[in-house]
Amino acid sequence: MIANQVVQSLWLAHTDKEGRDQLQSAALATLVSIAPKDEIEGMLAAQMVAAHAASMECYRRAMISEQSHEGRQSNLSHAGKLSRTYVQLLEALNRHRGKIGQQKVTVEHVHVHAGGQAVVGTVETPLDGGRGSR
C-alpha cells in the first residue's frame, strides 16, 4: 500500500512511458533505501519521497523559460516549503529511530580532593551486575 501511494504521488504528466517508469523506479528505490523498519517509518519514508518529488517538480517548473515572474516566485516558494517539510520528516524519522536527542557532555575541569575518587571515561555496568562466574 505504501509503495503504491508513493507511485501515485508522483507528477508524471510531462513524461513519456520510459520517463514514467524511470521516475517510479527511482521513487521505489528511494523508499527501499530509506529502509523503514515499521509502519510509522514506512509512512514517513513515503511522505519524504513525495515531498522530495513535489519540491523537485516545483523547482523544474520555476526554471521554465516561458514562466512568468509570479509563476516562478510561486513555484520557488512552494519548493522551499516542500524542502523544509522534507527536513522535518527526516528529523521525525531520525527521532523515531532514536538518532536525535543524544547529548554530548564535555567536562573540562575536575577537582578530586584527598581521599576522593574520580572516573574519567565511559563507565559500563556488566549485564550480570558484576557477579560473573569465577
Side-chain angles (χ1 to χ4, degrees), residues 12-25:
L12 304 172
H14 69 281
T15 63
D16 58 9
K17 168 102 170 81
E18 184 179 338
R20 283 192 298 275
D21 291 345
Q22 288 176 346
L23 285 170
Q24 290 171 345
S25 293

Side-chain angles (χ1 to χ4, degrees), residues 35-45 88-101:
K37 307 284 188 278
D38 58 30
E39 293 81 2
I40 300 294
E41 288 188 14
M43 290 185 283
L44 288 169
Q88 290 174 330
L89 289 164
L90 179 59
E91 289 172 352
L93 178 63
N94 284 332
R95 263 192 316 278
H96 181 75
R97 290 179 171 175
K99 292 184 178 181
I100 289 184

